[in-house]
């Protein structure tokens, strides 16, 4: 998650983006609908029906929406909702992440790989009845190419585009400046031109003024309240087939224990956590009646980020990051005083893997490990020596001081809703305190403002990573820096490194899967050596749902993966109500013809008020894709 997470992904988110998980598959022509793999199938229980017989799947989330505009959203919740609202050119197969048809039924490059032609399906229509065409896709990309605000979330995908046209309603043509390996992984929601061309200022429009919101995805967003809930209804005309639940509600809980209690009572169907359930919560739910705990390898990393000196694209500096952290030796000394084994054993209690490179081991082709000589292993004595060499020696009181005599004290941004941040913050205070360094752990609800302002020293960071690594690597390029101080931007942590940028450009233009993977690993190595970020763990996806409300649901990967925050819509689209299971479902996901007995769950307003425009906060560790 980036914590801005800003897995953005970030973002995303990303949110954090699809690629050719299998390399050459991305360049191949694909056609037809693809059905996700085997879902989890717990024993069905009888669910209660509301008066209307409507089935409602209620998801408890610990994150609020930053924007309902797909051009601005970066938090994982927001980008996940957009996957339900809008179709993308391609999707990821739930089984092995390879690129499959979505709005586009096939795609093919020219001989020089500089022109890509997409065939747009003829059976997709917007929820207001108008047909979805190539013109909608062309308009979406052109808007991102010409309006800086519209490029806030996903601008990295179109930065290399020369021209985008729609010669016919079913043909989209994208011309590139240079080869681009992500052309089967353009993780961009396609919006209806006839609706969005009326928008004025894209930097302020949050897509929350008129309901229902026009879309062409598996669900249609019908209602929203800031910091309270998002409600969507099934799109009965979705080309892949209607979802089995009539409605899905994402309900916001600031307190994770309260969300777990709601699951126990049957007030919600599913709990994702913040971003995962704590080990204690998971253990208690495993013995609870009618509750299934899903504990699988996740797509996130969990990291420490240091402020490298906030700056704009033109080099204007701002913020108040501690100057000592501009010294690579100081950054590396801090990381060498972090005991990752203790974090895995005592904080995550085994529900995570020790962190190394930037991309989680779930994405094996891009997973990287530092060499033995390169690795910043836990070594407090060596960390102390490095601080001495950097000029920060202990005084008589045992405090590290600089040449100016000032004590070495840092601040770290902590998410108030994330118990992992709080627990690890206490360990850092102890470990770094032994080095003679003071640490103030700032656990606040909104980390966005100080982060965007560059007013922090360190922060708990993370991203949800997509099968294609391009987006999550792009957030550390110089091009991702903000245009103005304290302005929202694609950057995760204000990193700008010439060597890293050169490697990024090379991997983007490399179509050979093996060669591209090697370049991505070189980028991870460079990111590791600069010491601005330190990956501590790859947390599992630990989540739970009621088996008396959800009969079956698809994980991603389907063999053993996450339910919430997928690279697609498979979980919520495939979910089957536990009682009155429908008959007549087809293999291609067709809607059911039987009568469904639902779980009418009332939407409770927990904390309302405020304009969404004022709520656009920095995506956080669990946030982005």
């Amino acid at each position: 998650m980036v914590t801005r997470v800003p897995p953005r992904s970030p973002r995303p988110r990303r949110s954090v983006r699809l690629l050719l998980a299998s390399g050459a598959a991305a360049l191949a022509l694909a056609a037809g609908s693809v059905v996700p793999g085997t879902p989890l199938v717990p024993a069905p229980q009888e669910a209660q029906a509301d008066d209307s017989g409507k089935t409602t799947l209620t998801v408890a989330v610990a994150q609020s929406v930053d924007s309902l505009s797909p051009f601005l959203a970066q938090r994982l919740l927001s980008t996940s909702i957009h996957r339900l609202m809008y179709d993308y050119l391609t999707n990821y197969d739930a089984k092995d992440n390879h690129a499959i048809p979505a709005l586009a039924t096939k795609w093919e490059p020219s001989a020089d790989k500089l022109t890509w032609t997409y065939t747009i399906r003829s059976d997709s229509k917007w929820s207001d009845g108008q047909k979805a065409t190539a013109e909608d896709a062309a308009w979406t990309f052109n808007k991102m190419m010409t309006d800086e605000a519209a490029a806030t979330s996903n601008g990295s995908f179109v930065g290399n585009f020369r021209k985008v046209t729609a010669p016919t309603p079913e043909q989209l043509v994208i011309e590139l400046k240079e080869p681009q390996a992500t052309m089967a992984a353009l993780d961009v929601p396609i919006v209806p031109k006839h609706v969005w061309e009326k928008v004025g200022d894209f930097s302020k429009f949050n897509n929350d003024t008129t309901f229902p919101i026009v879309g062409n995805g598996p669900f249609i967003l019908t209602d929203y309240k800031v910091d309270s809930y998002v409600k969507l209804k099934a799109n009965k005309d979705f080309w892949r087939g209607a979802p089995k639940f009539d409605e899905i509600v994402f309900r916001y809980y600031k307190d994770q224990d309260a969300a777990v209690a709601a699951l126990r009572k049957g007030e919600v169907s599913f709990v994702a956590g913040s971003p995962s359930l704590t080990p204690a919560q998971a253990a208690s739910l495993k013995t609870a009646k009618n509750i299934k705990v899903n504990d699988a390898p996740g797509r996130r990393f969990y990291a420490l980020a240091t402020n490298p000196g906030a700056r704009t694209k033109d080099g204007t500096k701002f913020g108040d990051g501690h100057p000592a952290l501009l010294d690579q030796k100081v950054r590396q000394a801090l990381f060498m005083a972090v005991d990752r084994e203790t974090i895995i054993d005592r904080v995550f209690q085994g529900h995570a893997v020790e962190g190394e490179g930037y991309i989680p081991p779930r994405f094996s082709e891009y997973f990287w490990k530092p060499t033995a000589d390169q690795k910043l292993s836990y070594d407090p004595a060596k960390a102390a020596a490095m601080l001495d060499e950097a000029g920060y020696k202990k005084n008589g009181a045992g405090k590290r001081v600089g040449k100016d005599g000032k004590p070495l004290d840092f601040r770290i941004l902590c998410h108030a809703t994330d118990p992992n941040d709080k627990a690890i913050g206490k360990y850092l205070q102890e470990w770094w305190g032994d080095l003679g360094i003071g640490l103030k752990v700032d656990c606040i609800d909104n980390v966005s403002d100080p982060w965007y302002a560059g007013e922090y020293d360190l922060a708990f960071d993370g991203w949800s990573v997509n099968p294609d690594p391009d987006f999550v690597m792009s957030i550390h390029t110089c091009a991702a820096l903000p245009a103005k101080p304290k302005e929202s931007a694609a950057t995760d942590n204000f990193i700008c490194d010439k060597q890293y940028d050169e490697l990024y450009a090379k991997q983007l233009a490399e179509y050979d899967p093996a060669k591209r993977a090697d370049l991505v690993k070189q980028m991870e190595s460079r990111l590791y050596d600069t010491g601005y970020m330190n990956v501590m763990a790859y947390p599992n996806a630990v989540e739970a749902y009621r088996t008396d409300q959800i009969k079956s649901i698809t994980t991603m990967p389907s063999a053993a993966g996450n339910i919430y925050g997928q690279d697609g819509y498979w979980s919520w689209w495939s979910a089957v109500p536990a009682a009155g299971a429908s008959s007549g479902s087809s293999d291609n996901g067709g809607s059911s013809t039987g009568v469904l007995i639902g779980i009418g769950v009332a939407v409770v307003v927990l904390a309302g008020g405020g304009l969404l425009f004022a709520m656009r906060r920095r995506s956080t560790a669990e946030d982005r894709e």
Side-chain angles (χ1 to χ4, degrees):
M1 313 185 205
V2 177
T3 271
R4 151 208 201 90
V5 175
R8 245 244 40 44
S9 79
R11 144 179 340 162
R13 41 72 154 149
R14 139 195 154 155
S15 265
V16 130
R17 306 327 211 169
L18 308 96
L19 177 61
L20 345 154
S22 59
L27 300 178
L29 301 183
S33 60
V34 179
V35 178
T38 305
L40 296 175
V41 185
Q45 301 290 333
E46 183 175 358
Q48 294 182 343
D50 66 6
D51 293 338
S52 66
K54 179 174 62 177
T55 54
T56 301
L57 194 164
T58 307
V59 179
V61 294
Q63 186 180 75
S64 56
V65 170
D66 55 344
S67 178
L68 290 179
S69 165
F71 297 100
L72 300 177
Q74 293 184 328
R75 292 186 174 180
L76 181 58
L77 172 61
S78 307
T79 55
S80 296
I81 289 172
H82 289 142
R83 288 187 182 278
L84 303 180
M85 297 169 60
Y86 303 105
D87 221 348
Y88 294 44
L89 289 181
T90 60
N91 204 337
Y92 292 117
D93 183 79
K95 184 177 181 180
D96 61 9
N97 291 329
H98 75 270
I100 62 173
L103 185 61
T105 59
K106 64 179 181 179
W107 47 95
E108 57 184 335
S110 59
D112 61 6
K113 305 282 196 306
L114 292 178
T115 300
W116 284 73
T117 302
Y118 299 79
T119 299
I120 302 302
R121 66 176 54 256
S122 60
D123 56 349
S124 177
K125 65 179 181 179
W126 300 108
S127 53
D128 62 0
Q130 293 200 35
K131 186 176 180 179
T133 69
E135 182 62 28
D136 295 304
W139 186 90
T140 299
F141 290 125
N142 277 302
K143 189 63 180 179
M144 293 168 61
M145 293 163 62
T146 56
D147 187 321
E148 185 175 353
T152 298
S153 293
N154 299 304
S156 63
F157 288 112
V158 302
N160 183 45
F161 286 12
R162 181 187 301 279
K163 185 179 181 182
V164 182
T165 57
T168 71
E170 296 178 9
Q171 186 180 67
L172 175 73
V173 178
I174 300 178
E175 298 177 30
L176 304 173
K177 301 173 185 175
E178 302 288 343
Q180 181 168 325
T182 62
M183 298 308 289
L186 298 175
D187 199 11
V188 177
I190 303 302
V191 302
K193 174 186 175 182
H194 66 281
V195 174
W196 283 83
E197 65 183 353
K198 301 172 186 177
V199 175
D201 188 345
F202 271 65
S203 69
K204 296 181 179 179
F205 181 71
N206 283 294
N207 199 24
D208 61 342
T209 56
T210 303
F211 298 97
I213 295 176
V214 178
N216 65 338
F219 288 88
I220 301 166
L221 199 150
T222 59
D223 196 13
Y224 165 71
K225 188 171 181 63
V226 174
D227 275 359
S228 184
Y229 64 81
V230 180
K231 183 185 294 186
L232 304 97
K233 70 176 181 180
N235 181 359
K236 303 300 183 182
D237 296 320
F238 183 51
W239 63 267
R240 199 185 290 276
K244 312 301 185 298
F245 275 91
D246 296 309
E247 182 179 66
I248 182 169
V249 176
F250 293 92
R251 187 190 297 176
Y252 173 68
Y253 284 84
K254 181 177 179 181
D255 183 86
Q256 185 160 305
D257 286 333
V260 171
L263 182 74
R264 288 181 178 278
K265 297 174 184 177
E267 295 173 352
V268 300
S269 318
F270 179 96
V271 172
S274 170
S276 294
L277 298 178
T278 66
Q281 289 168 341
S284 69
L285 289 174
K286 283 182 178 179
T287 59
K289 183 180 179 181
N290 297 331
I291 291 178
K292 167 79 174 181
V293 174
N294 182 49
D295 186 351
R299 54 185 282 246
R300 295 183 50 248
F301 66 78
Y302 184 84
L304 282 176
T306 63
N307 186 340
R311 53 181 157 166
T312 61
K313 290 179 180 178
D314 65 6
T316 301
K317 297 180 180 180
F318 60 96
D320 61 359
H322 201 296
L325 292 174
L326 300 179
D327 189 328
Q328 184 183 30
K329 286 185 177 180
V330 173
R331 299 193 298 270
Q332 293 182 334
L334 291 177
F335 297 155
M336 294 184 74
V338 175
D339 187 348
R340 293 172 187 78
E341 289 187 9
T342 293
I343 290 174
I344 300 300
D345 293 341
R346 298 185 184 179
V347 178
F348 291 100
Q349 295 182 27
H351 298 276
V353 177
E354 185 176 338
E356 294 182 287
Y358 192 63
I359 296 178
R362 171 164 155 176
F363 305 106
S364 58
E365 61 268 52
Y366 300 112
F367 179 58
W368 170 87
K369 291 184 177 183
T371 63
D373 294 337
Q374 184 182 22
K375 188 172 182 178
L376 300 174
S377 301
Y378 179 56
D379 191 337
K382 187 173 181 180
M386 291 178 70
L387 289 170
D388 288 340
E389 292 175 12
Y392 296 94
K393 297 184 178 182
K394 284 186 176 182
N395 61 16
K399 283 284 297 180
R400 294 276 172 184
V401 295
K403 295 178 180 179
D404 56 4
K406 294 182 179 180
L408 200 57
D409 292 324
F410 297 126
R411 304 158 296 170
I412 186 168
L413 282 176
C414 158
H415 301 82
T417 58
D418 192 335
N420 293 328
D421 283 10
K422 297 176 182 178
I424 295 173
K426 292 180 180 179
Y427 278 111
L428 295 180
Q429 287 177 320
E430 176 185 342
W431 295 329
W432 293 352
D434 291 341
L435 286 177
I437 297 173
L439 180 66
K440 180 183 178 183
V441 182
D442 290 325
C443 291
I444 56 179
D445 291 333
N446 177 14
V447 302
S448 305
D449 292 343
W451 198 316
Y452 277 126
E455 296 170 352
Y456 66 99
D457 300 325
L458 299 107
F460 290 105
D461 195 12
W463 284 85
S464 292
V465 179
N466 301 94
D468 186 277
D470 179 74
F471 177 82
V472 81
M473 306 307 290
S474 75
I475 59 178
H476 297 305
T477 61
C478 300
L481 293 173
K484 299 178 182 179
K486 302 183 179 183
E487 189 174 71
S488 174
T491 187
D492 171 40
N493 197 44
F494 302 105
I495 294 174
C496 178
D497 178 76
K498 182 179 179 181
Q499 184 175 332
Y500 181 91
D501 274 17
E502 291 173 351
L503 290 168
Y504 176 79
K506 289 180 180 179
Q507 68 82 29
L508 184 63
E510 181 56 69
Y511 284 104
D512 183 275
K515 292 179 180 179
R516 182 171 183 240
D518 181 67
L519 288 166
V520 170
K521 291 177 181 178
Q522 291 181 48
M523 294 172 67
E524 294 182 77
S525 179
R526 178 61 182 171
L527 197 59
Y528 188 92
D529 288 341
T530 58
Y532 292 118
M533 293 194 64
N534 181 255
V535 177
M536 296 183 289
Y538 308 114
N540 285 4
V542 186
E543 49 203 359
Y545 64 92
R546 294 197 63 91
T547 58
D548 57 355
Q549 296 187 12
I550 302 174
K551 177 182 178 181
S552 64
I553 193 165
T554 299
T555 63
M556 186 176 186
S558 52
N562 56 294
I563 295 173
Y564 176 74
Q566 294 182 357
D567 299 295
Y569 43 67
W570 306 120
S571 55
W572 313 128
W573 172 76
S574 71
V576 177
S582 60
S583 60
S585 296
S586 62
D587 288 340
N588 66 2
S591 60
S592 50
T593 58
V595 177
L596 302 180
I597 300 176
I599 321 150
V601 178
V603 175
V604 178
V605 176
L606 298 178
L611 294 175
L612 178 57
F613 168 61
M615 298 296 296
R616 191 180 304 128
R617 302 167 179 167
R618 181 178 186 83
S619 303
T620 56
E622 71 277 21
D623 296 353
R624 177 59 167 171
E625 293 203 284

